[in-house]
Amino acid sequence: MRGVLENTTVRFLARRLAYTAVVLVGVMVVVFSIVQLVPGDPVRIALGTRYTEASYEALRAASGLDRPLWEQFVGYLGGALTGDLGVSFRNGEPVTAVLLERLPATISLALAGLVIGLAVALPAGIYSALREGRLSDGIVRIASQFGVSVPDFWMGMLLITLFSSVLGWLPSSGYVAITDDPLEWLRRVTLPAITMGIVAGSIMTRYIRAAVLDVASMGYIRTARSKGLAPKVVTFRHIVRNALVPVLTITGIQMATMLGGVIVVEVVFAWPGLGRLVFDAVASRDYPIIQGAVLLIAVMFLLINLLVDVLYAVVDPRIRLS
Amino acid sequence: MSAVLSVRDLGVTIGRSTIVDGVSFDVQRGQTLGIVGESGSGKSMTVLAATGLIDAPGAVVTGASRLGSTDAAGLDLVAATPTQLRRVHGDRIGFIFQDPSTSLNPLLTLERQLTEGPEAHLGLTRRQARSRALALLDSVGIPNPSDRLAAYPHQLSGGQRQRVMIAVALACDPDLLIADEPTTALDVTTQAQIIDLVRGLQEERGMAVVWISHDLGVIGQVADDVTVLYRGEAVEQRPIVEVFDEPRHDYTRTLLDARPVLGLATPAPADPNADVLLSIRDLDVSFPITTATGKSTVHAVRGASLDIRRGHTLGLVGESGSGKSTVAGVLTGLTEPASGTVTLEGRDIFGRRGTELTQLRREISMVFQDPFSSLNPRMSVAEAIAEPLRVHRLAAGAKGRRGRVEELLELVRLPREFADRFPHELSGGQRQRVSIARALAVEPKLMILDESTASLDVSIQSQVLELLATLQQDLGLTYLFIAHDLAIVQQMSHEIAVMRQGEIVELSSNERLYADPQHDYTRTLLAAIPPERPRAAASEA
């Protein structure tokens, strides 16, 4: 029966999709309002102190800010849906192009960070929960508390000092696209990914530990033990599978957070991702870029939530077949 | 004849507290040992320790528990290694637990849950294990077993889940079946079916059964011998009929006297001509329910009508999901009805706003089922009881409220000093008395008792029921008594309404309902109640 999309699953996914669309429109309203809500005139800010009335009017008209509000919104909405997010105030480049240029750097870093985070968190969280109260559990808990508490810029600097300055194993910064040179990409992504992975992994370790402990106390785990099953069968088939359901949520949130660009990490490692883009755009009040980046980050957030919901349905028959 | 399980001087301690103290028993092939006791008496702990399945952190087990076998020595389950235990768990010993909604893995198909035991112990292939699973589902009375193998637990009813659990326990044809409160979470009619099923399977397979229950009525239906546990000690161990007929220990006598039995007691008579206090006409309630996959409507109550006279108790009985608590929800304004009218002293209770609504909340008060969750853990007893006094301005100032709180505590037979205690310092029975005091604080016209004694031990339950009866006499209270136990309803109610799937199928006086039930469903319910005398007594006669 698995693999066949049951009617209920389709309905479930349709509902989630509709929900995603509604939230997306809400996000667009908010993003659109950014320009309306900022104090002062964005065009004046964009032009700085030296401009003529003519250049002011030209930019205003080019940005569409001279039209009525609703018309601006419809225009924005239509533009956004067709991939036109306006042009950067700073250099006149199309926002969409700027974003797309930055996206691969951020996505590849986020995925690498998530892989490292999960590679740490899954074994550590499961192991620590199964040995609750023992020394090894204590060590994992203290280590994950440390990982959550240490600021990421400091962790990044520490890693740079050790691995590039002292040992000289890895470059301290810079980005090479994975499509250009996979090996060089790997060398350069390692340190920022570890920095992000330690934070995300520490958070997820705590969640996984709690989820495993919660499941381990359930009646069906006692049933599994009462069948005389081998400990690893009880652990993996019964405990971990059930614990993964809540863990999916936190993994999705971590992934989405990383996709939003961990600004500090990208700045420390000179990684040309979305985080740095937003950082620079805020500094120069480049509103179209800020708007576009916020919208893109929100869309990725929603897509990941949708993905998590789909995975829920895959993992949990109560959602798939209710 | 050698015993299947022979337990000697079993003890369990956790830290400095002794949970089980020197318990010994034997179970023979084809025999059922009942272990009975109230919550905290150590019943489950005894059996889990004796079978090596104990998982309480820090528990230390002493004594011996020998699983008999054809080779002379057998295996001492207390001293056995984890590997030795795993070899007998699920193979020679099968387990059924209390709550079928949590004892099956929600993510695995029934097939997987039924086959993993035989695959591990009997070395069956997937295919052999599958046909064994089919036969097992069939033997526990699951219809269309071949369709059901691919189902998940949430697609079954509670009774069916417990049948599957029994199939899991029997998967490797064990010598010993441990049944830990296997019917406690089930409705009375389902309970009767499960008891019959286990008895039938036992006769067929000749296994030994250890059946744990707090309910002497159930134990009477299943057991040959019984061990009564009290505070971790076996205070009485004899054949079931002897225990029922000539209990030797005081505690056994208390248990026997406190258990609700049909036909033993009826309430003090109430004035048959008293005026109608509450009148429900053609009440319909439906809920839109939203699941992960969409919306649907559940008709919780359909066309219900009843009257409650002042000073009377109306018993509302039914199994889970019958809609009885929904009626309570409507009366307290927590649930909106779809149609119908409800009047209190002739005035409509719906559509009231502002002070009228506040007034209604004073006139109808409620005592809930679970004494552990219905009191705010951060409020002292005095604060909990005084809250309605404050809201309805029923006592003058803090001093007046304190005085009234103490009066109310006295009314529910609790010492005044309890006013400054917090819920966690009280037992279940004491908490329920506090809940009753809180409900009485507003001097309600109608008190709704929604399964108010269902989660209490029988000895405590009988005391609380007695208190409620006395309060009714002294204060002229009117009760809506919602319960699933027909014996308790008989003891408390003047009139009785039987609900099934949202409908009132029978409404009649106490005397008539029990003497001459009109509806089939009422008869089924009555027939499902374990009789006063144990089954073994009937077969001897």
Side-chain angles (χ1 to χ4, degrees):
Chain A
M1 283 180 51
R2 196 170 298 175
V4 180
L5 274 183
E6 286 85 359
N7 193 19
T8 47
T9 315
V10 175
R11 270 177 39 210
F12 168 72
L13 293 181
R15 281 172 61 85
R16 303 312 295 176
L17 210 60
Y19 167 82
T20 302
V22 170
V23 175
L24 192 58
V25 171
V27 167
M28 288 174 114
V29 171
V30 172
V31 167
F32 172 73
S33 315
I34 293 176
V35 176
Q36 315 299 326
L37 292 176
V38 288
D41 184 338
V43 178
R44 245 178 258 282
I45 293 165
L47 289 171
T49 47
R50 271 183 290 166
Y51 58 90
T52 61
E53 199 58 27
S55 67
Y56 173 79
E57 285 304 332
L59 184 56
R60 218 171 117 79
S63 323
L65 289 169
D66 54 345
R67 288 177 289 162
L69 206 56
W70 67 269
E71 218 175 278
Q72 286 183 42
F73 182 64
V74 171
Y76 180 74
L77 206 62
L81 290 177
T82 53
D84 175 11
L85 294 168
V87 294
S88 162
F89 279 170
R90 210 152 52 131
N91 51 21
E93 280 183 54
V95 172
T96 315
V98 174
L99 293 175
L100 286 180
E101 189 197 321
R102 299 295 189 109
L103 200 54
T106 287
I107 289 184
S108 64
L109 175 58
L111 282 175
L114 189 76
V115 166
I116 290 173
L118 280 175
V120 173
L122 275 175
I126 294 169
Y127 182 77
S128 148
L130 294 178
R131 305 193 53 93
E132 191 200 2
R134 309 217 194 152
L135 182 65
S136 42
D137 175 34
I139 291 169
V140 171
R141 290 174 63 189
I142 290 169
S144 65
Q145 182 63 55
F146 182 76
V148 173
S149 325
V150 173
D152 43 11
F153 72 88
W154 190 70
M155 177 70 68
M157 278 155 44
L158 221 60
L159 289 173
I160 290 175
T161 310
L162 181 63
F163 289 102
S164 38
S165 306
V166 177
L167 298 170
W169 291 353
L170 296 163
S172 65
S173 64
Y175 166 73
V176 171
I178 192 167
T179 44
D180 293 347
D181 183 350
L183 210 69
E184 190 54 32
W185 170 82
L186 189 66
R187 275 167 48 79
R188 285 170 191 268
V189 83
T190 304
L191 290 184
I194 289 178
T195 306
M196 288 166 74
I198 284 177
V199 178
S202 300
I203 295 171
M204 288 190 290
T205 300
R206 301 170 80 80
Y207 271 88
I208 292 169
R209 179 178 179 275
V212 168
L213 276 180
D214 190 41
V215 170
S217 69
M218 300 300 285
Y220 53 82
I221 300 306
R222 187 168 58 170
T223 304
R225 296 203 308 122
S226 81
K227 293 177 185 173
L229 301 176
K232 67 171 192 290
V233 176
V234 175
T235 301
F236 289 102
R237 189 183 297 160
H238 291 273
I239 298 179
V240 171
R241 260 190 83 162
N242 280 282
L244 280 183
V245 179
V247 168
L248 270 179
T249 311
I250 183 70
T251 307
I253 292 173
Q254 287 301 322
M255 180 69 198
T257 308
M258 290 197 268
L259 277 178
V262 179
I263 294 180
V264 176
V265 173
E266 292 192 350
V267 171
V268 168
F269 288 94
W271 195 263
L274 281 177
R276 271 230 354 247
L277 181 69
V278 172
F279 180 80
D280 295 340
V282 168
S284 60
R285 304 195 183 179
D286 194 344
Y287 290 108
I289 294 281
I290 298 174
Q291 279 181 312
V294 169
L295 186 62
L296 179 63
I297 291 167
V299 167
M300 289 194 295
F301 228 104
L302 287 171
L303 286 179
I304 285 176
N305 272 331
L306 191 67
L307 181 70
V308 166
D309 283 338
V310 172
L311 288 178
Y312 266 147
V314 171
V315 175
D316 194 337
R318 285 165 294 186
I319 292 172
R320 194 163 70 237
L321 305 168
S322 63
Chain B
M1 186 167 59
S2 74
V4 173
L5 186 71
S6 178
V7 174
R8 289 294 170 271
D9 202 24
L10 188 78
V12 180
T13 53
I14 297 179
R16 248 174 285 167
S17 55
T18 304
I19 313 293
V20 178
D21 191 6
V23 172
S24 303
F25 59 80
D26 287 322
V27 211
Q28 315 290 341
R29 235 184 100 71
Q31 224 203 4
T32 299
L33 172 74
I35 296 187
V36 74
E38 294 183 304
S39 51
S41 61
K43 332 180 267 295
S44 292
M45 218 52 125
T46 300
V47 175
L48 292 178
T51 52
L53 198 64
I54 195 160
D55 57 357
V60 178
V61 182
T62 54
S65 171
R66 204 159 287 282
L67 185 67
S69 72
T70 40
D71 58 80
L75 175 67
D76 180 5
L77 299 176
V78 172
T81 64
T83 316
Q84 287 175 316
L85 287 172
R86 272 202 301 281
R87 224 169 281 148
V88 295
H89 286 159
D91 184 19
R92 300 195 49 213
I93 312 174
F95 294 85
I96 318 171
F97 300 108
Q98 173 169 345
D99 189 351
S101 62
T102 60
S103 52
L104 293 172
N105 189 329
L107 302 190
L108 299 181
T109 60
L110 301 189
E111 176 175 351
R112 197 77 202 92
Q113 305 197 45
L114 282 163
T115 53
E116 57 182 2
E119 280 177 25
H121 294 294
L122 310 177
L124 300 187
T125 62
R126 258 287 161 87
R127 210 166 162 174
Q128 291 167 320
R130 187 188 148 91
S131 63
R132 195 181 179 90
L134 268 179
L136 282 164
L137 281 186
D138 191 47
S139 69
V140 296
I142 297 281
N144 305 325
S146 51
D147 296 343
R148 282 313 202 178
L149 277 183
Y152 291 91
H154 75 274
Q155 297 170 304
L156 308 179
S157 70
Q160 281 180 325
R161 279 182 219 170
Q162 198 62 313
R163 284 171 190 269
V164 171
M165 191 61 216
I166 293 170
V168 167
L170 299 181
C172 297
D173 221 346
D175 305 326
L176 175 65
L177 177 68
I178 305 293
D180 188 355
E181 300 265 12
T183 62
T184 305
L186 305 174
D187 280 324
V188 58
T189 50
T190 317
Q191 165 172 293
Q193 291 164 8
I194 295 293
I195 289 174
D196 286 344
L197 174 68
V198 173
R199 287 184 56 91
L201 290 165
Q202 184 184 18
E203 252 165 55
E204 236 173 80
R205 298 166 178 242
M207 63 201 168
V209 176
V210 175
W211 189 301
I212 304 168
S213 180
H214 69 284
D215 187 334
L216 263 175
V218 170
I219 290 292
Q221 288 307 289
V222 297
D224 303 299
D225 289 325
V226 63
T227 293
V228 182
L229 278 189
Y230 179 61
R231 296 189 178 169
E233 285 182 58
V235 295
E236 189 150 356
Q237 283 183 297
R238 285 190 300 151
I240 183 82
V241 184
E242 287 179 40
V243 170
F244 269 67
D245 291 350
E246 308 152 29
R248 283 191 196 145
H249 196 275
D250 282 345
Y251 178 67
T252 315
R253 220 163 288 139
T254 312
L255 273 186
L256 280 166
D257 293 345
R259 86 201 145 112
V261 172
L262 272 184
L264 278 197
T266 48
D271 176 10
N273 300 317
D275 62 315
V276 171
L277 178 72
L278 181 92
S279 177
I280 299 177
R281 285 292 168 272
D282 304 318
L283 186 70
D284 255 36
V285 185
S286 52
F287 294 115
I289 53 165
T290 311
T291 60
T293 52
K295 288 194 172 107
S296 58
T297 306
V298 170
H299 279 275
V301 178
R302 306 160 193 257
S305 299
L306 54 83
D307 289 329
I308 308 180
R309 291 179 186 276
R310 202 183 294 276
H312 286 229
T313 297
L314 181 114
L316 190 57
V317 279
E319 295 186 304
S320 50
S322 62
K324 50 194 198 302
S325 289
T326 307
V327 172
V330 169
L331 297 182
T332 48
L334 299 174
T335 307
E336 284 278 315
S339 64
T341 57
V342 178
T343 55
L344 186 75
E345 293 183 317
R347 290 179 55 221
D348 199 326
I349 71 164
F350 300 139
R352 293 199 191 179
R353 294 200 198 298
T355 50
E356 280 200 312
L357 187 65
T358 314
Q359 182 65 21
L360 179 69
R361 299 245 152 93
R362 222 196 114 178
E363 288 170 339
I364 301 181
S365 71
M366 181 148 166
V367 181
F368 298 92
Q369 169 171 351
D370 184 4
F372 288 86
S373 64
S374 57
L375 290 173
N376 185 336
R378 293 183 191 278
M379 277 181 154
S380 71
V381 166
E383 286 166 337
I385 300 176
E387 194 173 37
L389 295 175
R390 216 175 45 234
V391 170
H392 297 286
R393 300 205 179 86
L394 296 177
K399 237 186 187 152
R401 280 198 293 273
R402 179 71 185 197
R404 182 80 179 117
V405 165
E406 289 182 359
E407 266 176 51
L408 286 162
L409 282 176
E410 211 161 291
L411 214 51
V412 296
R413 320 277 191 272
L414 284 177
R416 286 165 176 231
E417 302 85 73
F418 272 49
D420 299 313
R421 295 203 185 173
F422 282 87
H424 71 268
E425 299 174 280
L426 309 179
S427 70
Q430 289 166 343
R431 288 181 206 207
Q432 210 55 326
R433 284 170 194 264
V434 171
S435 296
I436 293 169
R438 181 177 58 182
L440 285 173
V442 294
E443 295 164 46
K445 291 182 172 148
L446 176 72
M447 235 166 107
I448 302 173
L449 306 164
D450 188 0
E451 298 275 15
S452 304
T453 62
S455 29
L456 304 176
D457 277 324
V458 279
S459 56
I460 310 296
Q461 168 171 276
S462 72
Q463 292 163 14
V464 173
L465 291 173
E466 207 178 287
L467 170 72
L468 287 168
T470 315
L471 288 172
Q472 180 167 45
Q473 287 294 300
D474 296 350
L475 307 175
L477 296 171
T478 308
Y479 293 148
L480 174 61
F481 188 82
I482 300 174
H484 67 280
D485 186 321
L486 275 163
I488 291 175
V489 169
Q490 182 180 34
Q491 184 186 331
M492 296 296 292
S493 319
H494 301 96
E495 289 85 29
I496 294 158
V498 180
M499 277 193 93
R500 186 195 190 189
Q501 292 173 5
E503 283 177 62
I504 295 180
V505 297
E506 184 158 2
L507 175 61
S508 84
S509 71
N510 186 327
E511 300 77 36
R512 239 191 73 197
L513 187 99
Y514 289 89
D516 184 18
Q518 297 299 306
H519 196 277
D520 278 346
Y521 180 65
T522 313
R523 281 194 283 269
T524 311
L525 276 183
L526 284 167
I529 299 174
E532 189 189 352
R533 302 270 298 131
R535 193 192 290 242
S539 56
E540 271 172 20

